[in-house]
Amino acid sequence: MLALANKIVIVTGASSGIGRATAKLFAEEGAKLVVAARRQAELDALVAEISDTDGTAVALAGDVRDEAYAKALVDLALEKFGGLDIAFNNAGAVGVMAPLPDMVPAAWHETMDINLTSAFLGAKHQIPAMLERGGGSLIFTSSFVGYTAGVPGMAAHAAAKAGSIGLTQVLAAEYGPKGVRVNALMPGGTDTPSATFKTPESRAFVENLHALKRVAEPEEIARAALFLASDASSFTTGSALFADGGISITRT
Ligand code: NAP
């Protein structure tokens, strides 16, 4: 039995990295997908790949900072597939890095909007659809940054990612009684296009921060997302799940 047989799922940030790997894994596990990001061509390529392996996916391009887009993704899931069971709110970005006295409010707001307001807007429209189905699983991609690590220059990113854990806890308490589980996923350093370790030196530095002395492939984070999405985690809610190679506990 496939882990997500006939489950209807929204994956944001699906054009690249962790979101793309997760969409592919969820499709292999039987999910029907609505995939989301700004870049239409990358989403179309993903949908084609999924269709080639007999999976089911539709794409809608847009910006997760826009409430109308959050609603449109849910409407598409309802129209095309008849409901919504799972949402992986994963779109995010490092955002603007600067020492705090140098950070202008517009840069702060931009980083908060992509990493935290997007989670609020997604959940706002996804929860009612899940309640119609009698439950569901909501996942936010958070980070060790802002939870177990203070990385200089990343104040806005850290505040946003830490904020998503607060959001997770409140929504888990509010909607647990109605069958909706809500969890945060905490990747460690992961080899994706937006990873900050671009030079061999910076990569070696980041790898060494992890107990496993390497960074993750996106597919490894996707498997943790699958756990949170599926009934394998049926008694897990309100959690911040580490899939971080031990970066949170390592003092090199
Ligand atoms: P990535 O490959 O750059 O993917 C980011 C995804 O988010 C892309 O699909 C991008 O698509 C989408 N996105 C960004 N801004 C958006 C917007 N305004 N509207 C819609 N979609 C938007 O990076 P990743 O590493 O897989 O990141 C995925 C998540 O993991 C992020 O939340 C990130 O903060 C988190 N994370 C990553 C790491 C790491 O080391 N890589 C560690 C901890 C946490 P478009 O550009 O097409 O819009």
Side-chain angles (χ1 to χ4, degrees):
M1 175 77 171
L2 297 174
L4 300 180
N6 294 317
K7 295 289 185 189
I8 301 159
V9 185
I10 292 171
V11 175
T12 73
S15 62
S16 168
I18 293 168
R20 187 177 210 283
T22 302
K24 289 185 70 176
L25 179 62
F26 283 15
E28 281 166 26
E29 290 294 340
K32 297 175 188 165
L33 291 161
V34 174
V35 292
R38 289 165 299 184
R39 285 170 293 168
Q40 183 79 58
E42 278 76 359
L43 291 179
D44 289 345
L46 173 64
V47 167
E49 265 181 56
I50 288 174
S51 303
D52 284 350
T53 50
D54 294 331
T56 306
V58 292
L60 183 64
D63 193 317
V64 291
R65 294 170 289 186
D66 174 7
E67 181 169 5
Y69 182 54
K71 180 177 183 308
L73 290 170
V74 174
D75 288 346
L76 185 59
L78 300 181
E79 253 170 53
K80 280 273 176 193
F81 303 130
L84 180 68
D85 301 300
I86 296 160
F88 184 41
N89 290 298
N90 162 78
V94 170
V96 181
M97 288 184 67
L100 201 73
D102 299 337
M103 188 173 289
V104 296
W108 173 271
H109 288 305
E110 183 187 326
T111 308
M112 295 297 283
D113 284 352
I114 168 62
N115 289 292
L116 182 57
T117 307
S118 61
F120 148 64
L121 294 173
K124 175 179 171 180
H125 291 279
Q126 293 153 4
I127 287 170
M130 289 181 185
L131 294 176
E132 286 288 315
R133 306 273 280 182
S137 174
L138 197 57
I139 306 158
F140 301 109
T141 305
S142 182
S143 179
F144 60 94
V145 178
Y147 193 60
T148 57
V151 181
M154 295 188 79
H157 184 83
K161 291 299 191 185
S164 72
I165 294 168
L167 181 66
T168 295
Q169 293 176 352
V170 170
L171 295 181
E174 274 182 15
Y175 294 100
K178 295 187 170 159
V180 178
R181 297 185 299 105
V182 188
N183 292 286
L185 177 58
M186 320 291 281
T190 307
D191 199 355
T192 67
S194 72
T196 50
F197 39 91
K198 297 291 184 215
T199 64
E201 295 74 25
S202 62
R203 188 180 173 110
F205 175 79
V206 171
E207 285 176 342
N208 192 50
L209 297 173
H210 296 74
L212 296 178
K213 300 302 172 196
R214 64 179 180 85
V215 294
E217 293 302 321
E219 290 74 18
E220 295 181 277
I221 309 304
R223 290 197 290 274
L226 177 62
F227 170 71
L228 291 176
S230 73
D231 287 345
S233 62
S234 55
F235 203 57
T236 303
T237 197
S239 79
L241 178 77
F242 291 134
D244 76 348
I247 194 170
S248 294
I249 49 80
T250 302
R251 304 291 179 268
T252 57

Short mmCIF file of all heavy atoms in Angstrom, two decimals, residues 13-19 37-39 62-65 90-93 114-115 141-144 157 161 187-190 192-195 197, ligand 1:
data_model
loop_
_atom_site.label_atom_id
_atom_site.label_comp_id
_atom_site.label_asym_id
_atom_site.label_seq_id
_atom_site.Cartn_x
_atom_site.Cartn_y
_atom_site.Cartn_z
N GLY A 13 6.88 25.83 -3.14
CA GLY A 13 8.32 25.77 -3.34
C GLY A 13 8.69 24.52 -4.12
O GLY A 13 9.77 23.96 -3.95
N ALA A 14 7.79 24.11 -5.04
CA ALA A 14 7.97 22.84 -5.75
C ALA A 14 8.83 22.97 -7.00
O ALA A 14 9.14 21.96 -7.63
CB ALA A 14 6.60 22.27 -6.12
N SER A 15 9.25 24.18 -7.35
CA SER A 15 10.03 24.34 -8.58
C SER A 15 11.49 23.96 -8.39
O SER A 15 12.24 23.90 -9.36
CB SER A 15 9.94 25.78 -9.08
OG SER A 15 10.49 26.66 -8.13
N SER A 16 11.90 23.67 -7.14
CA SER A 16 13.33 23.53 -6.88
C SER A 16 13.55 22.82 -5.54
O SER A 16 12.65 22.76 -4.70
CB SER A 16 13.90 24.96 -6.84
OG SER A 16 15.19 25.00 -6.35
N GLY A 17 14.76 22.27 -5.37
CA GLY A 17 15.24 21.84 -4.06
C GLY A 17 14.34 20.87 -3.31
O GLY A 17 13.86 19.86 -3.85
N ILE A 18 14.11 21.18 -2.05
CA ILE A 18 13.37 20.29 -1.14
C ILE A 18 11.93 20.09 -1.63
O ILE A 18 11.40 18.97 -1.61
CB ILE A 18 13.39 20.88 0.29
CG1 ILE A 18 14.82 20.84 0.86
CG2 ILE A 18 12.41 20.15 1.20
CD1 ILE A 18 15.02 21.65 2.15
N GLY A 19 11.30 21.16 -2.08
CA GLY A 19 9.91 21.06 -2.53
C GLY A 19 9.76 20.18 -3.75
O GLY A 19 8.83 19.37 -3.86
N ALA A 37 4.86 27.49 -7.08
CA ALA A 37 6.07 28.32 -7.02
C ALA A 37 5.85 29.45 -8.03
O ALA A 37 4.80 29.47 -8.70
CB ALA A 37 7.32 27.52 -7.37
N ARG A 38 6.82 30.36 -8.17
CA ARG A 38 6.63 31.44 -9.15
C ARG A 38 6.98 31.01 -10.57
O ARG A 38 6.38 31.46 -11.52
CB ARG A 38 7.47 32.66 -8.76
CG ARG A 38 6.95 33.39 -7.54
CD ARG A 38 7.97 34.34 -7.00
NE ARG A 38 9.19 33.61 -6.60
CZ ARG A 38 10.24 34.17 -6.02
NH1 ARG A 38 10.24 35.46 -5.77
NH2 ARG A 38 11.28 33.44 -5.69
N ARG A 39 7.97 30.12 -10.73
CA ARG A 39 8.49 29.82 -12.07
C ARG A 39 7.67 28.75 -12.78
O ARG A 39 7.75 27.56 -12.45
CB ARG A 39 9.97 29.40 -11.97
CG ARG A 39 10.91 30.56 -11.71
CD ARG A 39 12.30 30.10 -11.38
NE ARG A 39 12.35 29.39 -10.11
CZ ARG A 39 13.39 28.67 -9.69
NH1 ARG A 39 14.46 28.55 -10.43
NH2 ARG A 39 13.34 28.07 -8.51
N GLY A 62 2.57 31.26 -8.98
CA GLY A 62 2.20 32.49 -8.30
C GLY A 62 3.15 32.77 -7.15
O GLY A 62 4.13 32.05 -6.95
N ASP A 63 2.81 33.79 -6.39
CA ASP A 63 3.67 34.23 -5.29
C ASP A 63 2.99 33.93 -3.97
O ASP A 63 1.86 34.40 -3.73
CB ASP A 63 3.93 35.74 -5.44
CG ASP A 63 5.05 36.22 -4.54
OD1 ASP A 63 5.09 35.80 -3.36
OD2 ASP A 63 5.88 37.01 -5.01
N VAL A 64 3.67 33.17 -3.11
CA VAL A 64 3.04 32.74 -1.86
C VAL A 64 2.82 33.89 -0.87
O VAL A 64 2.19 33.70 0.17
CB VAL A 64 3.83 31.60 -1.16
CG1 VAL A 64 3.76 30.31 -1.95
CG2 VAL A 64 5.27 32.01 -0.89
N ARG A 65 3.31 35.07 -1.20
CA ARG A 65 3.03 36.24 -0.35
C ARG A 65 1.67 36.84 -0.65
O ARG A 65 1.24 37.77 0.03
CB ARG A 65 4.13 37.30 -0.54
CG ARG A 65 5.47 36.83 -0.04
CD ARG A 65 6.58 37.77 -0.45
NE ARG A 65 6.85 37.68 -1.88
CZ ARG A 65 7.85 38.29 -2.52
NH1 ARG A 65 8.67 39.05 -1.85
NH2 ARG A 65 8.03 38.14 -3.81
N ASN A 90 6.31 25.00 2.08
CA ASN A 90 7.76 24.85 2.09
C ASN A 90 8.49 26.02 1.43
O ASN A 90 9.69 26.20 1.67
CB ASN A 90 8.07 23.52 1.37
CG ASN A 90 9.49 23.41 0.92
OD1 ASN A 90 10.37 23.14 1.72
ND2 ASN A 90 9.74 23.65 -0.37
N ALA A 91 7.79 26.81 0.63
CA ALA A 91 8.46 27.92 -0.07
C ALA A 91 9.14 28.82 0.94
O ALA A 91 8.59 29.11 2.01
CB ALA A 91 7.45 28.72 -0.90
N GLY A 92 10.33 29.24 0.63
CA GLY A 92 11.06 30.12 1.53
C GLY A 92 12.35 30.56 0.89
O GLY A 92 12.71 30.09 -0.19
N ALA A 93 13.04 31.46 1.56
CA ALA A 93 14.29 31.98 1.03
C ALA A 93 15.11 32.52 2.19
O ALA A 93 14.57 32.87 3.24
CB ALA A 93 14.02 33.08 0.02
N ILE A 114 8.06 36.22 2.90
CA ILE A 114 8.28 34.98 2.15
C ILE A 114 8.35 33.78 3.08
O ILE A 114 7.88 32.70 2.74
CB ILE A 114 9.53 35.08 1.22
CG1 ILE A 114 9.92 33.70 0.67
CG2 ILE A 114 10.71 35.70 1.83
CD1 ILE A 114 8.90 33.07 -0.15
N ASN A 115 8.89 33.96 4.28
CA ASN A 115 9.10 32.79 5.16
C ASN A 115 8.01 32.57 6.20
O ASN A 115 7.87 31.46 6.69
CB ASN A 115 10.45 32.94 5.87
CG ASN A 115 11.62 32.75 4.93
OD1 ASN A 115 11.84 31.65 4.43
ND2 ASN A 115 12.35 33.82 4.64
N THR A 141 7.95 24.24 6.50
CA THR A 141 9.39 24.07 6.53
C THR A 141 10.00 25.22 7.33
O THR A 141 9.94 26.38 6.93
CB THR A 141 10.00 24.05 5.12
OG1 THR A 141 9.34 23.02 4.36
CG2 THR A 141 11.50 23.75 5.18
N SER A 142 10.55 24.87 8.49
CA SER A 142 11.22 25.84 9.34
C SER A 142 12.73 25.66 9.15
O SER A 142 13.18 25.37 8.03
CB SER A 142 10.78 25.62 10.79
OG SER A 142 11.36 26.56 11.64
N SER A 143 13.52 25.81 10.20
CA SER A 143 14.97 25.68 10.08
C SER A 143 15.63 25.63 11.45
O SER A 143 15.06 26.13 12.42
CB SER A 143 15.54 26.88 9.31
OG SER A 143 16.94 26.78 9.20
N PHE A 144 16.83 25.07 11.47
CA PHE A 144 17.64 25.17 12.70
C PHE A 144 18.00 26.63 12.97
O PHE A 144 18.22 27.03 14.12
CB PHE A 144 18.90 24.31 12.60
CG PHE A 144 19.81 24.68 11.45
CD1 PHE A 144 20.87 25.54 11.66
CD2 PHE A 144 19.60 24.17 10.19
CE1 PHE A 144 21.70 25.90 10.61
CE2 PHE A 144 20.40 24.52 9.12
CZ PHE A 144 21.47 25.39 9.33
N HIS A 157 15.47 36.22 8.90
CA HIS A 157 15.19 34.82 8.53
C HIS A 157 14.93 33.99 9.79
O HIS A 157 13.97 33.21 9.85
CB HIS A 157 16.39 34.27 7.75
CG HIS A 157 16.19 32.88 7.24
ND1 HIS A 157 15.53 32.60 6.06
CD2 HIS A 157 16.57 31.68 7.75
CE1 HIS A 157 15.52 31.29 5.86
NE2 HIS A 157 16.13 30.71 6.87
N LYS A 161 11.53 31.97 10.75
CA LYS A 161 11.51 30.51 10.90
C LYS A 161 11.11 30.11 12.32
O LYS A 161 10.38 29.13 12.52
CB LYS A 161 12.87 29.92 10.53
CG LYS A 161 13.21 30.03 9.04
CD LYS A 161 12.22 29.29 8.16
CE LYS A 161 12.68 29.17 6.72
NZ LYS A 161 11.67 28.57 5.84
N PRO A 187 15.01 21.15 8.43
CA PRO A 187 16.15 20.60 7.69
C PRO A 187 17.46 21.16 8.21
O PRO A 187 17.52 22.29 8.69
CB PRO A 187 15.92 21.11 6.26
CG PRO A 187 14.56 21.71 6.23
CD PRO A 187 14.24 22.10 7.63
N GLY A 188 18.51 20.38 8.08
CA GLY A 188 19.86 20.92 8.24
C GLY A 188 20.31 21.47 6.90
O GLY A 188 19.51 21.65 5.97
N GLY A 189 21.60 21.75 6.78
CA GLY A 189 22.12 22.23 5.51
C GLY A 189 21.78 21.24 4.40
O GLY A 189 22.06 20.05 4.53
N THR A 190 21.18 21.74 3.32
CA THR A 190 20.70 20.86 2.25
C THR A 190 21.18 21.41 0.92
O THR A 190 21.13 22.63 0.69
CB THR A 190 19.15 20.80 2.29
OG1 THR A 190 18.75 20.43 3.61
CG2 THR A 190 18.62 19.78 1.30
N THR A 192 20.77 22.53 -2.17
CA THR A 192 19.74 23.04 -3.10
C THR A 192 20.27 24.33 -3.74
O THR A 192 21.25 24.90 -3.25
CB THR A 192 18.43 23.36 -2.34
OG1 THR A 192 18.67 24.47 -1.47
CG2 THR A 192 17.93 22.18 -1.54
N PRO A 193 19.58 24.81 -4.77
CA PRO A 193 20.07 26.02 -5.44
C PRO A 193 20.21 27.22 -4.50
O PRO A 193 21.06 28.08 -4.73
CB PRO A 193 19.01 26.28 -6.51
CG PRO A 193 18.47 24.93 -6.82
CD PRO A 193 18.47 24.18 -5.51
N SER A 194 19.41 27.30 -3.45
CA SER A 194 19.51 28.48 -2.58
C SER A 194 20.47 28.29 -1.42
O SER A 194 20.62 29.19 -0.59
CB SER A 194 18.13 28.86 -2.05
OG SER A 194 17.72 27.92 -1.10
N ALA A 195 21.13 27.13 -1.34
CA ALA A 195 22.06 26.91 -0.24
C ALA A 195 23.15 27.98 -0.27
O ALA A 195 23.61 28.38 -1.33
CB ALA A 195 22.66 25.52 -0.34
N PHE A 197 26.21 27.69 0.89
CA PHE A 197 27.59 27.17 0.80
C PHE A 197 27.96 26.89 -0.66
O PHE A 197 27.84 25.77 -1.12
CB PHE A 197 27.75 25.92 1.67
CG PHE A 197 26.57 25.00 1.66
CD1 PHE A 197 26.47 23.97 0.74
CD2 PHE A 197 25.54 25.17 2.58
CE1 PHE A 197 25.39 23.11 0.73
CE2 PHE A 197 24.44 24.33 2.56
CZ PHE A 197 24.36 23.29 1.64
P1 NAP B 1 15.23 26.38 -3.16
O1 NAP B 1 15.74 25.23 -3.94
O2 NAP B 1 15.69 27.75 -3.49
O3 NAP B 1 13.64 26.36 -3.19
C1 NAP B 1 12.88 27.43 -2.72
C2 NAP B 1 11.51 27.29 -3.34
O4 NAP B 1 10.65 28.33 -2.82
C3 NAP B 1 11.55 27.43 -4.84
O5 NAP B 1 10.68 26.49 -5.42
C4 NAP B 1 11.02 28.84 -5.09
O6 NAP B 1 10.36 28.87 -6.32
C5 NAP B 1 10.02 28.97 -3.94
N1 NAP B 1 9.76 30.35 -3.61
C6 NAP B 1 10.65 31.27 -3.12
N2 NAP B 1 10.03 32.45 -2.99
C7 NAP B 1 8.73 32.29 -3.41
C8 NAP B 1 7.63 33.15 -3.53
N3 NAP B 1 7.68 34.43 -3.16
N4 NAP B 1 6.46 32.64 -4.01
C9 NAP B 1 6.38 31.33 -4.38
N5 NAP B 1 7.40 30.47 -4.28
C10 NAP B 1 8.57 30.95 -3.81
O7 NAP B 1 15.54 26.19 -1.61
P2 NAP B 1 15.34 24.97 -0.59
O8 NAP B 1 16.62 24.84 0.11
O9 NAP B 1 14.72 23.79 -1.25
O10 NAP B 1 14.32 25.64 0.43
C11 NAP B 1 13.08 25.05 0.77
C12 NAP B 1 12.75 25.44 2.21
O11 NAP B 1 13.72 24.83 3.08
C13 NAP B 1 12.82 26.94 2.48
O12 NAP B 1 11.74 27.31 3.31
C14 NAP B 1 14.15 27.10 3.21
O13 NAP B 1 14.17 28.24 4.04
C15 NAP B 1 14.19 25.80 3.99
N6 NAP B 1 15.52 25.39 4.47
C16 NAP B 1 16.53 25.15 3.59
C17 NAP B 1 17.78 24.76 4.07
C18 NAP B 1 18.94 24.49 3.13
O14 NAP B 1 20.09 24.35 3.62
N7 NAP B 1 18.74 24.39 1.83
C19 NAP B 1 17.98 24.60 5.45
C20 NAP B 1 16.93 24.84 6.32
C21 NAP B 1 15.68 25.23 5.82
P3 NAP B 1 10.34 30.09 -7.36
O15 NAP B 1 11.69 30.75 -7.32
O16 NAP B 1 10.02 29.42 -8.66
O17 NAP B 1 9.24 30.97 -6.89
#
